[in-house]
Amino acid sequence: MLELVTQIRGDFAKLDRRAVFAFVYAAVGLTCITYFKDPSYLASILSNTPFAHIGDEAVHPTNNNLYGLIWWVFVSVTFYFIVPAIFVKYVQKRKLSEIGLSLKIEPGFLKLLGLCIAIMLPLVYLMSLTGSFSAKYPFLKVYNADPYLSWTLLIWELVYFFQFFGLEFFFRGLLVHSLKPSLGFYSILAMTVPYTMIHFQKPMPETFAAIFAGLFLGWISYKNGTIWLGMVLHCTVAFSMDILALWNKGLLF
């Protein structure tokens, strides 16, 4: 038994600790998001407090499901960004600018962003005409006949953007740049697998699109060291998806 433990320790000692953390944390973090996003956890935390009604509304929404969505974004940002960022900064002693949060703007940023948006918006429009897309988006649901075009929608879109920041940091920042020293260009491929898998509950065309988006945005971050192109592009596409879904349903105005 002692020999087996010694052998295991020896094998792990040869590994890149940053890569080990990235892989292990990816498994742990994605698992936590999958289960803890259930609003019943929020209800349990807030029970027997003056804010218990918020947890109840998140679990059993009456007017809209905004509280439940905000809880989902909070859980996502916590495990996509806050937890790994703290570990990277205070345990690994690395600057967050080393894993995608560099403030430099890559050459041709605006031109590339414009080109990506010009390509994506027509595709998003075509996807918005499908039944699966219409059934999934927007995530915000209004149950009391209030107009969708309201402060509730604005609040949701702003909160939604934080989710994309966390997502881009986790996949295009933490994973790509923690695996880059060991795997090189293969770090993009390794990141794209779990990134695609988080889309499995979404319409199939969007899931296939996520493969190409993961590879492209991973390459951009790999080459330039920043996640900001993916962040801006993700937010632009997400907002247009919600607006087009509401427009096609006749719920925008």
Side-chain angles (χ1 to χ4, degrees):
M1 183 64 178
L2 182 60
E3 181 180 350
L4 178 61
V5 172
T6 302
Q7 190 173 21
I8 292 175
R9 289 180 60 184
D11 289 339
F12 273 92
K14 301 174 184 177
L15 299 177
D16 182 338
R17 293 185 179 182
R18 294 178 179 180
V20 170
F21 170 74
F23 277 126
V24 173
Y25 183 76
V28 173
L30 291 174
T31 299
C32 289
I33 292 172
T34 298
Y35 290 99
F36 292 147
K37 69 181 180 181
D38 187 331
S40 62
Y41 285 99
L42 175 63
S44 298
I45 293 171
L46 297 180
S47 63
N48 300 318
T49 73
F51 305 102
H53 66 283
I54 294 178
D56 294 336
E57 180 67 21
V59 177
H60 303 291
T62 53
N63 297 327
N64 56 67
N65 64 338
L66 183 59
Y67 283 139
L69 291 174
I70 291 176
W71 173 249
W72 165 60
V73 171
F74 172 77
V75 171
S76 297
V77 172
T78 296
F79 291 103
Y80 275 150
F81 173 68
I82 296 176
V83 173
I86 290 174
F87 187 89
V88 167
K89 185 172 180 62
Y90 295 105
V91 178
Q92 295 182 341
K93 306 296 183 182
R94 302 167 65 192
K95 295 180 180 179
L96 297 182
S97 59
E98 296 178 13
I99 54 172
L101 293 190
S102 172
L103 295 179
K104 69 177 182 180
I105 302 298
E106 55 262 31
F109 176 88
L110 293 179
K111 182 183 293 186
L112 182 58
L113 177 62
L115 176 62
C116 291
I117 291 176
I119 294 173
M120 289 302 302
L121 288 183
L123 296 177
V124 171
Y125 173 73
L126 292 176
M127 290 173 60
S128 73
L129 301 176
T130 65
S132 59
F133 181 99
S134 179
K136 189 71 176 181
Y137 294 99
F139 288 151
L140 178 68
K141 307 297 181 185
V142 175
Y143 305 117
N144 62 352
D146 282 349
Y148 266 88
L149 195 59
S150 64
W151 282 105
T152 301
L153 179 63
L154 178 60
I155 292 171
W156 162 237
E157 295 299 335
L158 292 174
V159 171
Y160 199 15
F161 292 167
F162 282 101
Q163 193 270 156
F164 287 118
F165 167 74
L167 182 147
E168 287 296 328
F169 174 82
F170 180 80
F171 287 102
R172 257 68 76 175
L174 177 71
L175 290 185
V176 168
H177 294 288
S178 293
L179 300 176
K180 184 177 179 179
S182 297
L183 301 184
F185 193 80
Y186 290 107
S187 62
I188 302 172
L189 302 176
M191 171 275 298
T192 301
V193 175
Y195 177 68
T196 301
M197 294 174 71
I198 68 171
H199 291 76
F200 281 174
Q201 303 304 316
K202 296 187 177 183
M204 183 170 63
E206 184 179 349
T207 304
F208 276 109
I211 300 173
F212 298 101
L215 293 171
F216 175 69
L217 296 177
W219 177 77
I220 291 293
S221 181
Y222 182 93
K223 297 293 288 187
N224 296 281
T226 65
I227 66 169
W228 302 117
L229 176 66
M231 170 68 181
V232 175
L233 185 60
H234 237 138
C235 290
T236 302
V237 170
F239 181 73
S240 63
M241 288 169 69
D242 282 355
I243 296 301
L244 286 171
L246 291 173
W247 176 270
N248 291 331
K249 294 177 182 179
L251 297 174
L252 192 57
F253 298 105

